[in-house]
């Protein structure tokens, strides 16, 4: 299934190397001009400048050119004489294809900040400088004092943190969410803590929205005449057709063949894959690359029961291929998933999140979600150690790419969401195999003015052998009270990713002018 959706994980950061050099027309010495013999000639200056530019460009290519998420653009070389002219043609040369440039990586010798300031007045683009003596402080203080975005790296080893954060911002600005409301396009019944104002989200983060009627979506999962849908009579729509069904059957079969355990029948898997197929089909048509739908609102219509699928598998399959996809129409969680996924280059996991009750003396954790999985409960009591608190995240939407988009697919089981009817396919993942794994969590608050970020370490999992949203993971956090109070400020679903991208989440929040609530 390849609908050519522009996925966030495939977006690259375009970096343009720029050298600004000064040469001297005349042979003379002075307070900033010194040397002997040929060193004072124009020819020597030009030769030296070209050597510096060549070495700089080669260094950029060697250190950044092989980075998967960076695209190094053709370099620019600006030369000017000792009168320090700033000409329109010079600025235009640096500004070629300016709309495609995400970051200018500049090299100045011996002077050039004045030129960069003139460029910023016209174009206001992010700039970075690699450590080069006293120019570092001049560059940073001069640009930032005037409100321009500037970075300085001591070595290339410091660059990835900045580049990943800037790329995440670019991904946000290139995100269009296909949202399926039922009665309210902003929130669902179970996610009143989601963003209050989508226009504010677009203004702050750049994310855009495409709203699509829930019933129109559900009608198109039917293999019928595409002009016979009750919600759109006479309009030819994108219903699942016979060719689609062949591909859906193949996908469902492979999911079942590759699973460690299958506790659901083929038709039920087909129905859930069908929903995912249609979701991606419509995302491609509407130029979207993220997805959400309201679970309880849809459930209340009884349409899901009638169609015999849930959207759990849809979210799992979307997330693991780089299309962030959130349960319950929770767009605050979805925005956090997009951020985390594109900092970690791995698939996110979202769910109901809270702090477990813990008896420190007996090292016992209690949660209503553990009532069906004693194994998870026992593993927690064995692995607590000294902890500040135990948090948990539970939903039936784990995936096979938690350890990275380029990693091998993880071992998984296929089980139903519905306990009695045995329908609604879900991927089950045993988080117990990842005890000791660091995870990073974050969530935007309803006003899109705050960003909560936390770090944890997995201590147990639960729900691998059960149904519905009893699937989940437990992790220890450094300060349970901070974690609890931080969650109260932002909302329920706090997505997580494997790996430590905590500092980059903090950087992103500050870059976007958000209040960052930390729980390290």
């Amino acid at each position: 299934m390849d609908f050519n959706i522009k996925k966030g994980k495939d977006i690259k950061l375009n970096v343009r190397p720029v050298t600004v050099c000064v040469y001297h027309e005349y042979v003379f010495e002075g307070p900033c001009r010194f040397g002997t013999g040929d060193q004072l000639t124009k020819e020597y200056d030009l030769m030296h400048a070209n050597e510096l530019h060549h070495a700089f460009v080669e260094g950029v290519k060697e250190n950044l050119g092989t980075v998967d998420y960076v695209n190094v653009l053709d370099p620019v070389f600006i030369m000017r004489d000792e009168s320090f002219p700033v000409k329109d043609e010079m600025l235009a040369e640096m500004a070629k294809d300016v709309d495609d440039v995400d970051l200018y990586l500049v090299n100045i010798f011996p002077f050039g900040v004045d030129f960069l300031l003139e460029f910023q007045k016209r174009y206001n683009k992010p700039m970075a400088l690699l450590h080069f003596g006293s120019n570092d402080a001049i560059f940073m203080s001069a640009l930032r004092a005037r409100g321009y975005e500037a970075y300085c790296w001591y070595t290339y080893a410091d660059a990835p943190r900045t580049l990943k954060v800037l790329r995440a911002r670019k991904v946000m600005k290139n995100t269009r969410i296909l949202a399926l409301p039922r009665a309210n396009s902003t929130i669902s019944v179970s996610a009143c803590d989601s963003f209050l104002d989508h226009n504010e989200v677009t203004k702050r983060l750049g994310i855009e929205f495409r709203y699509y009627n829930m019933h129109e979506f559900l009608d198109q999962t039917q293999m019928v005449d595409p002009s016979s849908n009750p919600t759109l009579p006479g309009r030819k729509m994108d219903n699942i057709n016979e060719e689609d069904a062949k591909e859906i059957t193949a996908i469902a079969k492979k999911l079942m063949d590759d699973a460690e355990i299958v506790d659901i029948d083929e038709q039920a898997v087909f129905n859930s894959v069908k929903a995912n197929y249609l979701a991606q089909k419509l995302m491609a048509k509407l130029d979207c690359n993220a997805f959400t739908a309201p679970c309880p609102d849809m459930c209340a219509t009884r349409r899901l029961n009638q169609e015999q699928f849930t959207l759990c598998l849809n979210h799992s399959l979307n997330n693991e291929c780089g299309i962030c996809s959130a349960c319950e129409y929770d767009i605050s969680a979805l925005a956090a998933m997009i951020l985390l996924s594109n900092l970690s280059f791995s698939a996110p996991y979202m769910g109901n999140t809270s702090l477990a009750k813990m008896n420190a003396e007996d090292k016992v954790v209690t949660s209503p979600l553990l009532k069906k999985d004693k194994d998870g409960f026992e593993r927690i009591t064995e692995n607590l150690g000294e902890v500040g608190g135990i948090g948990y995240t539970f939903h039936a939407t784990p995936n096979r790419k938690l350890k990275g988009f380029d990693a091998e697919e993880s071992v998984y089981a296929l089980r139903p969401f519905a306990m009695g009817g045995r329908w609604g396919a879900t991927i089950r993942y045993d988080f117990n195999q990842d005890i000791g794994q660091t995870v990073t969590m974050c969530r935007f608050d309803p006003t899109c003015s705050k960003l909560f970020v936390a770090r944890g370490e997995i201590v147990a999992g639960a729900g691998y052998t059960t149904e519905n949203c009893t699937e989940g993971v437990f992790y220890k956090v450094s300060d349970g009270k901070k974690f609890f109070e931080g969650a109260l400020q932002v909302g329920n679903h706090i997505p997580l990713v494997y790996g430590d991208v905590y500092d980059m989440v903090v950087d992103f929040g500050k870059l976007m002018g958000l209040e960052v609530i930390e729980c390290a």
Side-chain angles (χ1 to χ4, degrees):
M1 180 169 60
D2 183 8
F3 288 107
N4 198 28
I5 295 169
K6 187 178 181 182
K7 303 169 184 175
K9 72 181 184 67
D10 297 328
I11 292 175
K12 294 181 181 290
L13 190 78
N14 294 328
V15 177
R16 168 147 285 155
V18 177
T19 299
V20 180
C21 274
V22 171
Y23 67 90
H24 294 76
E25 287 281 3
Y26 302 96
V27 175
F28 67 96
E29 286 191 88
C32 58
R33 170 65 167 159
F34 36 84
T36 61
D38 289 343
Q39 293 176 350
L40 297 174
T41 65
K42 175 181 178 180
E43 290 73 22
Y44 181 87
D45 275 358
L46 292 175
M47 177 193 71
H48 187 43
N50 274 281
E51 288 177 348
L52 287 173
H53 176 61
H54 178 75
F56 170 62
V57 172
E58 289 303 305
V60 174
K61 290 179 179 178
E62 180 181 347
N63 289 278
L64 301 183
T66 57
V67 177
D68 290 341
Y69 55 87
V70 172
N71 180 32
V72 178
L73 303 174
D74 292 339
V76 172
F77 190 21
I78 305 295
M79 293 288 292
R80 54 187 187 147
D81 65 33
E82 72 271 38
S83 66
F84 311 118
V86 180
K87 298 182 178 180
D88 287 345
E89 56 264 34
M90 294 177 181
L91 296 170
E93 174 63 16
M94 183 170 168
K96 64 182 181 182
D97 304 319
V98 66
D99 291 339
D100 296 329
V101 180
D102 301 309
L103 177 70
Y104 284 92
L105 179 52
V106 297
N107 176 38
I108 48 181
F109 182 80
F111 305 110
V113 173
D114 64 309
F115 181 85
L116 299 179
L117 285 171
E118 288 298 321
F119 181 85
Q120 289 290 49
K121 288 179 184 177
R122 298 192 186 193
Y123 301 104
N124 192 12
K125 301 289 289 190
M127 285 186 181
L129 177 73
L130 196 65
H131 170 56
F132 192 75
S134 59
N135 269 329
D136 304 355
I138 300 171
F139 169 82
M140 288 293 287
S141 59
L143 267 69
R144 288 194 167 182
R146 292 165 173 81
Y148 301 124
E149 192 176 327
Y151 306 91
C152 187
W153 307 322
Y154 190 70
T155 69
Y156 277 111
D158 299 322
R161 177 168 166 175
T162 302
L163 297 175
K164 287 179 181 178
V165 171
L166 296 181
R167 196 193 77 90
R169 177 175 63 178
K170 181 178 181 179
V171 170
M172 289 284 196
K173 292 180 178 179
N174 283 273
T175 295
R176 286 167 296 279
I177 298 172
L178 179 60
L180 307 186
R182 179 191 175 195
N184 186 313
S185 63
T186 305
I187 59 174
S188 69
V189 168
S190 62
C192 296
D193 55 345
S194 190
F195 289 132
L196 305 179
D197 184 349
H198 291 177
N199 289 324
E200 187 67 18
V201 177
T202 302
K203 178 182 175 182
R204 286 181 178 267
L205 303 179
I207 294 173
E208 296 182 350
F209 301 85
R210 304 287 184 267
Y211 304 105
Y212 199 92
N213 183 276
M214 177 196 75
H215 290 287
E216 293 177 19
F217 175 87
L218 290 170
D219 282 352
Q220 289 173 79
T221 64
Q222 293 293 313
M223 288 180 59
V224 297
D225 178 350
S227 62
S228 67
N229 294 307
T231 53
L232 293 161
R235 181 177 291 278
K236 187 175 181 180
M237 298 305 292
D238 297 280
N239 291 65
I240 299 298
N241 56 44
E242 290 184 4
E243 287 302 311
D244 296 337
K246 292 177 183 177
E247 192 169 357
I248 293 166
T249 299
I251 295 169
K253 184 177 186 306
K254 189 173 190 315
L255 274 171
M256 298 179 77
D257 289 344
D258 292 349
E260 177 185 47
I261 301 170
V262 178
D263 186 23
I264 187 171
D265 67 38
E266 186 175 348
Q267 184 60 48
V269 178
F270 177 91
N271 290 342
S272 290
V273 173
K274 180 173 62 173
N276 175 245
Y277 193 94
L278 178 62
Q280 291 203 18
K281 192 176 186 181
L282 292 175
M283 278 189 276
K285 177 181 179 179
L286 300 171
D287 199 21
C288 293
N289 52 8
F291 182 89
T292 190
C295 310
D297 312 54
M298 294 179 82
C299 183
T301 67
R302 298 192 62 186
R303 293 292 304 275
L304 295 179
N305 183 277
Q306 181 184 49
E307 306 299 342
Q308 295 284 283
F309 67 76
T310 64
L311 289 172
C312 305
L313 184 64
N314 165 70
H315 296 315
S316 294
L317 296 180
N318 281 343
N319 283 317
E320 68 182 27
C321 75
I323 300 169
C324 288
S325 192
C327 314
E328 299 185 51
Y329 207 83
D330 190 342
I331 295 170
S332 290
L334 182 54
M337 294 166 76
I338 295 164
L339 174 59
L340 289 169
S341 178
N342 283 283
L343 291 176
S344 67
F345 297 96
S346 61
Y349 174 57
M350 73 164 283
N352 297 315
T353 306
S354 190
L355 190 70
K357 292 182 179 180
M358 182 174 67
N359 181 323
E361 183 178 348
D362 298 329
K363 293 184 179 178
V364 173
V365 171
T366 59
S367 164
L369 296 167
L370 283 173
K371 60 187 178 182
K372 295 181 183 176
D373 195 328
K374 292 182 180 179
D375 288 339
F377 180 83
E378 290 169 357
R379 292 295 291 275
I380 292 176
T381 61
E382 295 170 6
N383 291 281
L384 279 182
E386 296 298 323
V387 298
I390 298 291
Y392 61 80
T393 299
F394 271 73
H395 256 189
T397 56
N399 60 75
R400 300 168 293 177
K401 291 289 185 176
L402 293 167
K403 296 178 181 178
F405 291 122
D406 295 331
E408 292 185 5
E409 290 183 351
S410 300
V411 174
Y412 66 100
L414 279 178
R415 300 188 186 281
F417 186 90
M419 298 171 65
R422 313 297 292 175
W423 52 268
T426 66
I427 285 178
R428 317 302 284 192
Y429 181 83
D430 185 5
F431 288 99
N432 284 308
Q433 65 188 300
D434 297 330
I435 290 173
Q437 169 69 53
T438 298
V439 295
T440 307
M441 298 153 274
C442 77
R443 179 181 171 88
F444 296 89
D445 85 313
T447 66
C448 198
S449 64
K450 298 177 183 180
L451 177 62
F452 173 63
V453 56
R455 184 190 286 117
E457 180 185 311
I458 293 177
V459 295
Y464 188 66
T465 61
T466 59
E467 301 84 13
N468 55 67
C469 283
T470 56
E471 165 83 45
V473 59
F474 291 83
Y475 38 81
K476 59 183 178 182
V477 295
S478 61
D479 189 323
K481 186 175 181 181
K482 271 189 177 180
F483 184 83
F484 178 69
E485 292 179 348
L488 293 180
Q489 293 190 62
V490 295
N492 171 25
H493 303 126
I494 302 179
L496 63 83
V497 288
Y498 279 24
D500 189 350
V501 295
Y502 182 98
D503 292 336
M504 287 185 282
V505 174
V506 173
D507 289 350
F508 178 87
K510 292 178 179 178
L511 175 63
M512 306 306 290
L514 306 175
E515 177 188 342
V516 181
I517 305 165
E518 296 191 54
C519 179

PDB file of all heavy atoms in Angstrom, residues 155 245 259 269 330 379:
ATOM      1  N   THR A 155      31.478  22.582  17.968  1.00  0.00           N
ATOM      2  CA  THR A 155      31.952  21.623  16.970  1.00  0.00           C
ATOM      3  C   THR A 155      30.729  21.084  16.222  1.00  0.00           C
ATOM      4  O   THR A 155      29.582  21.312  16.624  1.00  0.00           O
ATOM      5  CB  THR A 155      32.699  20.430  17.601  1.00  0.00           C
ATOM      6  OG1 THR A 155      31.759  19.627  18.331  1.00  0.00           O
ATOM      7  CG2 THR A 155      33.804  20.898  18.540  1.00  0.00           C
ATOM      8  N   ALA A 245      -9.696  -4.314  -2.334  1.00  0.00           N
ATOM      9  CA  ALA A 245      -9.955  -5.473  -1.476  1.00  0.00           C
ATOM     10  C   ALA A 245      -8.855  -6.530  -1.617  1.00  0.00           C
ATOM     11  O   ALA A 245      -8.483  -7.187  -0.636  1.00  0.00           O
ATOM     12  CB  ALA A 245     -11.312  -6.071  -1.797  1.00  0.00           C
ATOM     13  N   ALA A 259       2.609 -12.402  12.728  1.00  0.00           N
ATOM     14  CA  ALA A 259       2.360 -12.253  14.163  1.00  0.00           C
ATOM     15  C   ALA A 259       2.809 -13.495  14.924  1.00  0.00           C
ATOM     16  O   ALA A 259       2.716 -14.622  14.437  1.00  0.00           O
ATOM     17  CB  ALA A 259       0.881 -12.000  14.421  1.00  0.00           C
ATOM     18  N   VAL A 269      -9.705  -9.009  10.896  1.00  0.00           N
ATOM     19  CA  VAL A 269      -8.473  -8.302  10.539  1.00  0.00           C
ATOM     20  C   VAL A 269      -8.689  -7.533   9.239  1.00  0.00           C
ATOM     21  O   VAL A 269      -8.285  -6.367   9.109  1.00  0.00           O
ATOM     22  CB  VAL A 269      -7.288  -9.275  10.411  1.00  0.00           C
ATOM     23  CG1 VAL A 269      -6.021  -8.518   9.990  1.00  0.00           C
ATOM     24  CG2 VAL A 269      -7.043  -9.995  11.731  1.00  0.00           C
ATOM     25  N   ASP A 330      -7.868  13.477  19.720  1.00  0.00           N
ATOM     26  CA  ASP A 330      -7.041  14.269  20.632  1.00  0.00           C
ATOM     27  C   ASP A 330      -5.890  14.894  19.841  1.00  0.00           C
ATOM     28  O   ASP A 330      -4.825  14.297  19.666  1.00  0.00           O
ATOM     29  CB  ASP A 330      -6.500  13.406  21.767  1.00  0.00           C
ATOM     30  CG  ASP A 330      -5.860  14.252  22.850  1.00  0.00           C
ATOM     31  OD1 ASP A 330      -5.541  15.418  22.588  1.00  0.00           O
ATOM     32  OD2 ASP A 330      -5.677  13.743  23.964  1.00  0.00           O
ATOM     33  N   ARG A 379       5.776  -8.273  37.638  1.00  0.00           N
ATOM     34  CA  ARG A 379       7.045  -7.767  37.106  1.00  0.00           C
ATOM     35  C   ARG A 379       7.366  -6.397  37.698  1.00  0.00           C
ATOM     36  O   ARG A 379       8.518  -6.074  37.944  1.00  0.00           O
ATOM     37  CB  ARG A 379       6.983  -7.670  35.578  1.00  0.00           C
ATOM     38  CG  ARG A 379       6.912  -8.996  34.879  1.00  0.00           C
ATOM     39  CD  ARG A 379       8.181  -9.820  35.087  1.00  0.00           C
ATOM     40  NE  ARG A 379       9.311  -9.238  34.411  1.00  0.00           N
ATOM     41  CZ  ARG A 379       9.614  -9.441  33.131  1.00  0.00           C
ATOM     42  NH1 ARG A 379       8.846 -10.216  32.397  1.00  0.00           N
ATOM     43  NH2 ARG A 379      10.665  -8.898  32.590  1.00  0.00           N
TER      44      ARG A 379
END
